[in-house]
Amino acid sequence: MSADPVTMFVVSAAKAVYDIKESRKQAEIEQQRYEAQKKAAQEIANQEAAERRETYLATIASNKATQAGSGFSMDSRSFLNIQEDVTKTFEKDIATIRLNVGTKVGDIGYAQDIAASQRRKEQFGGWTSIVSSGVEYKAKKDLYERK
């Protein structure tokens, strides 16, 4: 028992349209998820930088207190070298945190682009499926009418 070609076309076209709409919804959800991941990565990096800054400031203050308590001058070359070393380490740590978050956000953005591309491909495939089904069922209908 075979169905009318027009009915078959309508059914397959309706399914394809539904799939396209669902793909669009899923694409929006994915984009929101990726944006949330980017935001979370940035927030974690900001927290790490703030913690590192607090540690740096505490170390500098501790060094100054130790220096003052020992009776040596704050202009001492060894003291200034220690402070400079602490500052350089802090700056390197902050740069590393920024680099890491940039890499992570870049990776998330890359995954986001891939997912978006995949969804566009699905949606385009759905539309081409409708067109090809229409052509196929038109041909079947013409063949059916000739008999």
Side-chain angles (χ1 to χ4, degrees):
M1 178 174 162
S2 88
D4 176 25
V6 173
T7 303
M8 292 299 295
F9 168 71
V10 169
V11 169
S12 66
K15 182 195 178 305
V17 168
Y18 176 79
D19 289 344
I20 290 167
K21 286 181 181 180
E22 287 302 310
S23 179
R24 285 184 181 159
K25 286 180 190 175
Q26 189 64 32
E28 288 177 23
I29 292 167
E30 286 174 347
Q31 293 305 313
Q32 290 171 355
R33 188 185 81 213
Y34 284 122
E35 289 301 322
Q37 287 177 351
K38 285 180 184 179
K39 192 179 229 181
Q42 187 64 49
E43 184 60 33
I44 289 170
N46 290 343
Q47 289 172 354
E48 287 177 5
E51 288 171 9
R52 182 61 185 97
R53 189 169 288 107
E54 286 177 22
T55 303
Y56 164 72
L57 293 174
T59 302
I60 292 291
S62 173
N63 288 348
K64 286 181 180 179
T66 302
Q67 182 70 15
S70 65
F72 290 103
S73 166
M74 290 292 196
D75 295 334
S76 164
R77 270 319 304 156
S78 61
F79 173 73
L80 293 176
N81 284 338
I82 291 170
Q83 294 293 70
E84 187 176 317
D85 186 49
V86 169
T87 300
K88 284 181 182 179
T89 302
F90 164 73
E91 289 170 352
K92 286 179 185 177
D93 289 348
I94 294 297
T96 300
I97 290 169
R98 287 183 184 144
L99 177 64
N100 289 343
V101 74
T103 300
K104 184 167 181 123
V105 168
D107 289 346
I108 292 169
Y110 182 66
Q112 184 178 20
D113 291 344
I114 290 172
S117 176
Q118 182 66 28
R119 292 296 174 187
R120 283 191 301 270
K121 186 176 102 178
E122 286 176 5
Q123 292 165 17
F124 181 75
W127 291 116
T128 58
S129 163
I130 292 171
V131 171
S132 69
S133 293
V135 170
E136 179 183 342
Y137 291 121
K138 168 85 168 83
K140 286 182 182 179
K141 181 179 178 277
D142 290 346
L143 182 64
Y144 180 75
E145 288 175 352
R146 280 190 231 154
K147 289 185 178 184

